[in-house]
């Protein structure tokens, strides 16, 4: 049953990595494989399938609203020449390619993960790195790795909140070990981003600033979350990184000549869209009366208990609720409109700009939307059929004392399947907690491994890879991105496995 | 799929939009069909979603 349960994921990975299929094709195949296995071997009935599909639709819309609007914001800025200008401006800060990759693809990506959410850092940064002369593949890989450590305490702590909700444990129990594991992962991904940007030579040259910046970001996040401010841990970690990273960049300016005087007015206008995004997100998330006001309209459905013919039950409960007016997609949409008006007022658009922006956005996002839809539907079918549960139980029961080393891999698996660290924590946290209790292991360490694995694993979730591919012009080449990311994420997960074992031995 | 919807042949974006809608709209209807116990509607919607996924698989980008 374990092999059958893992087969849809295997089909997707095989087609994307082995046969280089695009995500929309591989997603369709994975969906059909999941449906077949769920129906024949796991006894899923049509009614359960119906509810699984309906639940999937709300998850899909939640994800796609962000993707569509993130791409729209990018096109609004790009059409006005903003991306091109940002690309020209960064060499004024540093001409060192490795340092550029770190400042934008690691530090700024972590900051964006702190304020934004699913896929936003990769969607925003990949095109900027392409504009700076990085290959499209590197432009996706660098921010994908760079933001990963900030996922759990980023997005205003959504993933951490999901883990607390699933386990019923307080932040006082969970925050400290999770912040330590994620902090160590943060330094590691800095080196991984440098490696992706320029190879081992760049890693050796920038080893010191990477360590300093990583230490500052990790410490800032640790202090924030252990003081109880877990919702802004990622945000303050990223902000601390920018405060330290930008002065450090001046020390690593590179060997090229100074390109002259920087046009600050144009630079500020070019950054307007992203500035509005940051300000709106902070206002909406950190001003309680505004948050309450904007939270009044919610879309969602209440789902009944479902039971397969084999007896696997999913309890009744609400599906994904979309709080439309404070949704990240809405913030991105308002930012796009504001940026468009600013650029238009500054005379940065040629005639017909609006139709070009809307047309290219629609054409670019629609094939990726099909891939995401298939994959999320596949994940929900697996969850409702008990396939996901079978996988986790199979992993844990067969390993015994070695289980702690596997914990981050289970978290990663959940994130790959569901597309997010938050979903992985919802699906697997309770299972990890119970297994830890059965084996007499410290739950806080196992759950720290779960969420760190989930954060790192979310990077190779097909849905996130599609976002990166789409914004960097690599549609249909998602398999290449996965090939590049997979070994790095496996090494990072191994490091977390070792840390977990050490943590268990020490405690 | 392209034979069913000849207009989508020339424009891949329209083709994918059609597939996307054929996955999403029945997905929403499925909730109400299952809730009201209309099993024929559940089967019809599931078949539409399955066919749309199969069509996505056979279309090379």
């Amino acid at each position: 049953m374990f092999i059958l349960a893992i087969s849809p994921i295997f089909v997707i990975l095989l087609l994307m990595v082995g046969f280089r299929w695009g995500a929309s094709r591989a997603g369709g195949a994975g969906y059909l494989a999941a449906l077949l296995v769920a129906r024949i071997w796991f006894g899923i009935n049509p009614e359960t399938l119906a509810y699984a599909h309906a639940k999937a639709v709300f998850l899909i819309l939640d994800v796609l609203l962000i993707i569509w609007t993130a791409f729209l914001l990018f096109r609004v800025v790009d059409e006005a020449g903003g991306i091109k200008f940002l690309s020209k401006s960064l060499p004024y800060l540093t001409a060192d390619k490795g340092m550029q990759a770190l400042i934008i693809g690691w530090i700024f990506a972590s900051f964006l993960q702190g304020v934004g959410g699913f896929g936003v850092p990769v969607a925003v940064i990949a095109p900027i790195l392409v504009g700076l002369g990085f290959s499209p593949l590197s432009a996706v890989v660098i921010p994908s790795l760079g933001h990963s450590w900030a996922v759990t305490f980023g997005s205003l702590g959504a993933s951490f909140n999901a883990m607390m909700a699933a386990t019923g444990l307080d932040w006082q129990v969970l925050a400290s070990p999770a912040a330590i594991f994620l902090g160590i992962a943060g330094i590691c991904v800095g080196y991984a981003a440098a490696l992706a940007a320029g190879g081992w030579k760049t890693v050796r040259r920038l080893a010191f600033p990477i360590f300093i910046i990583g230490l500052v970001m990790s410490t800032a996040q640790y202090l924030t979350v252990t003081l109880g401010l877990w919702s802004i841990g990622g945000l303050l970690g990223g902000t601390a990184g920018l405060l330290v990273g930008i002065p450090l960049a001046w020390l690593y300016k590179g060997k090229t000549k100074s390109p002259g005087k920087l046009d600050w007015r144009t630079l500020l206008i070019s950054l307007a869209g992203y500035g509005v995004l940051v300000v709106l997100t902070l206002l909406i998330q950190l001003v309680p009366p505004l948050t309450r006001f904007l939270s009044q309209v919610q879309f969602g459905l209440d789902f009944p208990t479902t039971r397969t013919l084999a007896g696997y039950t999913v309890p009744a409960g609400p599906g994904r609720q979309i709080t439309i007016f404070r949704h990240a997609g809405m913030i991105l949409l308002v930012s796009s409109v504001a940026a468009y008006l600013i650029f238009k007022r500054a005379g940065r658009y040629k005639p017909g700009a609006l139709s070009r922006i809307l047309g290219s956005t629609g054409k670019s996002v629609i094939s990726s939307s099909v891939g995401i839809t298939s994959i999320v539907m596949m994940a929900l079918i697996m969850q409702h059929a008990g396939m996901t549960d079978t996988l986790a139980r199979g992993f844990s029961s067969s390993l015994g004392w070695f289980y702690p080393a596997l914990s981050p891999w289970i978290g990663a698996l959940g994130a790959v399947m569901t597309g997010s660290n938050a979903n992985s924590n919802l699906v697997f946290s309770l299972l990890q907690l119970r297994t830890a209790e059965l084996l007499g292991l410290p739950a806080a360490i196992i759950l720290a491994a779960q969420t760190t694995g989930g954060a790192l694993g979310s990077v190779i979730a097909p849905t996130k890879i599609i976002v990166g591919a789409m914004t960097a012009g690599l549609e249909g080449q998602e398999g290449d991105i996965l090939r590049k990311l997979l070994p790095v994420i496996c090494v990072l997960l191994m490091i977390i496995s070792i840390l977990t074992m050490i943590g268990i031995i020490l405690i | 799929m392209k034979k069913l919807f000849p207009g989508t042949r020339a424009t891949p974006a329209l083709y994918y939009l059609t597939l996307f809608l054929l996955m999403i709209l029945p997905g929403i209807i499925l909730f109400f069909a299952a809730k009201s116990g209309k099993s024929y509607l559940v089967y019809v919607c599931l078949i539409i979603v399955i066919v749309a996924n199969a069509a996505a698989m056979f279309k090379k980008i």
Side-chain angles (χ1 to χ4, degrees), chain A residues 210-439:
Chain A
I210 292 172
F211 183 73
I212 295 295
I213 295 166
L215 194 64
V216 167
M217 289 201 292
S218 302
T219 308
Q221 176 170 276
Y222 178 84
L223 291 175
T224 310
V225 303
T226 50
L227 285 170
L229 300 169
W230 49 266
S231 65
I232 52 170
L235 172 62
L236 290 192
T239 306
L242 285 173
L243 290 174
V244 174
I246 290 173
L248 266 175
W250 285 92
L251 299 174
Y252 290 82
K253 282 178 76 77
K255 289 177 182 171
T256 54
K257 285 180 188 172
S258 172
K261 203 178 171 188
L262 182 63
D263 182 354
W264 282 99
R265 185 178 174 273
T266 313
L267 179 63
L268 285 175
I269 292 171
S270 298
L271 283 168
Y274 299 117
V276 173
L277 171 66
V278 170
V279 171
L280 279 179
T281 307
L282 286 175
L283 279 175
I284 289 172
Q285 301 290 354
L286 299 178
V287 180
L290 188 62
T291 310
R292 277 195 296 275
F293 178 72
L294 294 173
S295 302
Q296 291 176 37
V297 181
Q298 270 195 342
F299 295 107
L301 295 169
D302 283 317
F303 290 87
T305 303
T306 58
R307 183 185 289 271
T308 64
L309 300 175
Y312 182 76
T313 305
V314 174
R320 178 62 62 99
Q321 304 288 312
I322 300 176
T323 313
I324 191 72
F325 291 114
R326 70 179 185 89
H327 193 276
M330 182 59 81
I331 300 170
L332 281 159
L333 180 65
V334 174
S335 304
S336 303
V337 173
Y340 176 80
L341 294 174
I342 291 168
F343 288 136
K344 198 168 169 60
R345 196 176 166 81
R348 299 281 293 273
Y349 286 129
K350 289 175 186 164
L354 186 60
S355 60
R356 279 196 300 278
I357 290 167
L358 295 176
S360 63
T361 302
K363 279 178 191 166
S364 300
V365 299
I366 194 64
S367 74
S368 311
S369 303
V370 170
I372 289 169
T373 303
S374 297
I375 289 164
V376 175
M377 283 180 168
M378 177 200 85
L380 268 287
I381 289 171
M382 289 178 68
Q383 190 192 339
H384 282 71
M387 292 161 73
T388 309
D389 192 58
T390 303
L391 281 180
R393 285 178 196 282
F395 279 134
S396 53
S397 64
S398 58
L399 286 154
W401 66 270
F402 195 64
Y403 178 76
L406 190 75
S407 302
W409 297 83
I410 293 176
L413 176 72
V416 169
M417 286 168 55
T418 61
S420 88
N421 186 193
N423 288 342
S424 172
N425 285 348
L426 284 172
V427 174
F428 288 131
S429 285
L430 193 57
L431 180 77
Q432 297 253 30
L433 174 65
R434 284 188 179 155
T435 314
E437 285 168 351
L438 283 171
L439 295 170

